[in-house]
Amino acid sequence: MTGSEMHPAIEPEPMQKGLGDVTRRSVVGFAAAATAGVLLTAGARTSPGVQGSLNRMWDTIVIGAGPAGLGAARVIADAGKKVLVLEARNRTGGRLWTDSTSMTIPFERGAELVHGNTVSTWDLINQQGLQTHRFEKTFGKYNASDAAWVDASTFETFHFPEGAPSFPGGLPEPLDGETALDWLNRIGIPRSNYPISVLAIEVDTEQFDVLPAEFIFGDVEFALSLQGESGPMPPEAYGDYRVIGGYKQVLQPLAAGIPIVLNSPVTSIDYRNKNRVEVHVGSDTYKARTIVLAVPGGVLKNGDITFNPPLPAARSAAIQEISYLSVFKAILEFAEPVLPVGMPSTPDWDILTPFDMNPPSTWNASEGTPGYTGQLVVTWMTGGKAQALLDLPEQDRLAAALETVRATSGKPDLEYVNASTYDWSKDQYARGAYPGPFSRRSGLNTPINNTLFWAGMTTSTVHSSRNSGIVAANQALAALA
């Protein structure tokens, strides 16, 4: 998911027909691309130098210290303006949350991967000389009991296992309102004949009994075009990368020198007077000429922040049309590397997905960590099947995750030494992991009264969140000028 602007169920994210994008989908689908998308901990203390902030008139107050908010604050501060960041949590980062205490090495409760090798996050990575690990060794199979894995870097990931169907008149177009499952059944492609690349879509979005058919039409069409190909595919430029030592490190340059007040959930914003906005945190009031709201859309949808005067009716309606995708992520730590049956003799795999399991996808979250002899394994699912897992008690969720790792590794007696899972929909400062395919994304970021500016509401990657903050910051700077 990329957080691109689209109207739910009307304008699906366009599928490109180039090999690079489709191989990206197959790889990302196996790993489920993070919540992460979905986002750090640049520090857990209120920044020095904010004494007297209640009595000061700021040029801009940024609400939210995730990638969007810190991205906005950095631009405004670098322009020489007085900026203050208010953060509800006791840490920065929002849904980028590197936990450095619960396991032997740091791990990501939220966003985990850098999606692509040209996105804006790389300037922060390169600036600090951070090390990364690229996910390249990706495999899938239809059932955990199958003997062989299908390598996602080969054309075989696009093959129909029971033979490619023939459509002399071209692939039939989906009907209005038709689900992916109904469309595939109508055109004669049963689930037992889905290519691995098509199965992978369900792991990163809604399942096919819910997902509109137009979301997968391009994937099926492209798979049909590759039936005569076999063996390794050309290397793709796109890739997913994990930051060694914790994703939180990428936000440190953004937060450096910025006054940040933690443990400060905003309850209301009064913007009746031009050039004087009042932001209320409990009994405290902060004042500024402009505001950048960089909080998740679910927080606004839930009415956790009230506005005086109320937001325009069209904006309020748009906010209510934001919807979040159910996301399940569990992290299991093992005392030694888990070597799956049928894999090469070395344990340096990246992503493994047996599609009959729930959760189906696992990825190696510790590969490349210097001196670490154990292994962190992430298990992942999205959509309705993810919600079924989230509805379970925590111990049952972890048991389901462990069963997937046991089936994947072929070790029925495998036990973890540490485990963690987190339901972002229950987090009062997030209200969800990231927007799904039906979420409203248009009409949400237009400034109001040249005073209220918006960032990060429906983004689902760290780089798109930061980019949205940069856009909002430049709009605020133009207003301040």
Side-chain angles (χ1 to χ4, degrees):
M1 305 299 295
T2 60
S4 59
E5 296 290 329
M6 67 178 182
H7 193 281
I10 294 178
E11 296 178 24
E13 185 176 5
M15 292 302 303
Q16 301 296 321
K17 301 298 181 63
L19 179 60
D21 283 342
V22 181
T23 55
R24 167 189 180 273
R25 171 61 70 87
S26 69
V27 172
V28 169
F30 283 6
T35 65
V38 217
L39 307 191
L40 145 196
T41 311
R45 296 174 298 172
T46 298
S47 299
V50 296
Q51 290 80 3
S53 59
L54 289 172
N55 299 317
R56 186 173 185 178
M57 173 63 75
W58 299 88
D59 290 314
T60 303
I61 291 176
V62 176
I63 302 173
L70 293 179
R74 180 78 274 150
V75 171
I76 293 168
D78 288 349
K81 301 299 182 182
K82 299 186 294 292
V83 60
L84 175 70
V85 177
L86 299 177
E87 168 54 45
R89 305 178 190 275
N90 64 355
R91 60 175 179 84
T92 58
R95 285 166 291 176
L96 196 167
W97 180 8
T98 301
D99 186 330
S100 300
T101 62
S102 301
M103 298 190 187
T104 306
I105 62 173
F107 69 97
E108 311 299 341
R109 290 185 176 273
E112 183 157 356
L113 303 178
V114 181
H115 299 300
N117 54 11
T118 60
V119 297
S120 59
T121 310
W122 283 99
D123 65 344
L124 304 173
I125 293 172
N126 294 331
Q127 176 182 341
Q128 301 175 83
L130 301 178
Q131 299 299 308
T132 61
H133 172 74
R134 178 175 176 172
F135 281 15
E136 294 181 292
K137 299 178 181 179
T138 301
F139 303 85
K141 57 183 178 179
Y142 292 88
N143 303 293
S145 59
D146 292 346
W149 292 88
V150 178
D151 188 338
S153 68
T154 67
F155 285 103
E156 278 68 20
T157 194
F158 297 102
H159 288 182
F160 293 79
E162 298 173 355
S166 177
F167 302 103
L171 186 63
E173 295 279 347
L175 304 175
D176 289 343
E178 193 170 25
T179 67
L181 179 62
D182 288 341
W183 174 66
L184 289 165
N185 286 338
R186 177 170 63 84
I187 65 176
I189 306 178
R191 187 175 184 85
S192 59
N193 199 27
Y194 294 177
I196 288 286
S197 63
V198 172
L199 281 172
I201 299 170
E202 287 192 305
V203 182
D204 197 32
T205 183
E206 275 289 359
Q207 279 74 69
F208 289 167
D209 61 340
V210 175
L211 191 69
E214 58 261 34
F215 278 72
I216 73 164
F217 178 86
D219 296 86
V220 174
E221 186 176 50
F222 191 75
L224 286 167
S225 73
L226 295 176
Q227 296 311 293
E229 305 287 346
S230 64
M233 293 184 290
E236 59 175 320
Y238 186 91
D240 288 322
Y241 300 78
R242 186 175 56 81
V243 179
I244 305 297
Y247 210 166
K248 68 180 183 180
Q249 300 168 98
V250 304
L251 296 190
Q252 290 172 353
L254 300 181
I258 301 290
I260 302 172
V261 184
L262 302 176
N263 301 304
S264 299
V266 171
T267 53
S268 64
I269 297 173
D270 188 328
Y271 66 106
R272 289 172 297 174
N273 300 319
K274 186 175 178 61
N275 292 325
R276 180 187 172 91
V277 185
E278 295 186 350
V279 178
H280 302 285
V281 178
S283 60
D284 293 335
T285 300
Y286 298 85
K287 300 176 286 294
R289 296 172 60 194
T290 59
I291 301 293
V292 172
L293 289 106
V295 299
V299 171
L300 297 173
K301 181 178 180 178
N302 197 61
D304 297 333
I305 300 175
T306 59
F307 296 85
N308 184 22
L311 296 177
R315 180 63 57 88
S316 295
I319 289 172
Q320 290 305 309
E321 290 180 18
I322 297 171
S323 63
Y324 279 77
L325 183 68
S326 296
V327 173
F328 174 81
K329 180 181 183 181
I331 304 94
L332 309 181
E333 182 176 17
F334 298 92
E336 58 187 23
V338 177
L339 179 62
V341 171
M343 296 296 291
S345 59
T346 56
D348 55 346
W349 55 275
D350 291 317
I351 304 167
L352 301 173
T353 305
F355 287 97
D356 62 331
M357 303 297 294
N358 191 30
S361 193
T362 65
W363 70 77
N364 185 345
S366 54
E367 181 65 26
T369 303
Y372 180 61
T373 58
Q375 189 169 66
L376 299 190
V377 177
V378 169
T379 64
W380 174 274
M381 189 52 176
T382 59
K385 289 186 176 180
Q387 189 59 52
L389 292 167
L390 293 172
D391 290 340
L392 298 173
E394 184 176 32
Q395 282 306 116
D396 292 344
R397 295 183 218 163
L398 295 174
L402 178 60
E403 185 58 32
T404 293
V405 180
R406 285 173 170 174
T408 302
S409 66
K411 298 178 180 179
D413 298 327
L414 197 64
E415 296 289 349
Y416 55 75
V417 295
N418 289 301
S420 177
T421 182
Y422 193 75
D423 185 352
W424 286 98
S425 69
K426 300 295 194 299
D427 186 310
Q428 65 175 320
Y429 302 130
R431 305 288 183 184
Y434 56 79
F438 305 107
S439 186
R440 171 79 174 251
R441 288 175 170 82
S442 60
L444 290 166
N445 294 320
T446 304
I448 295 178
N449 290 359
N450 221 24
T451 301
L452 301 183
F453 303 89
W454 310 78
M457 283 191 294
T458 56
T459 52
S460 54
T461 63
V462 171
H463 67 265
S464 62
S465 297
R466 179 197 178 192
N467 293 347
S468 74
I470 293 172
V471 171
N474 286 324
Q475 291 172 334
L477 288 173
L480 290 169

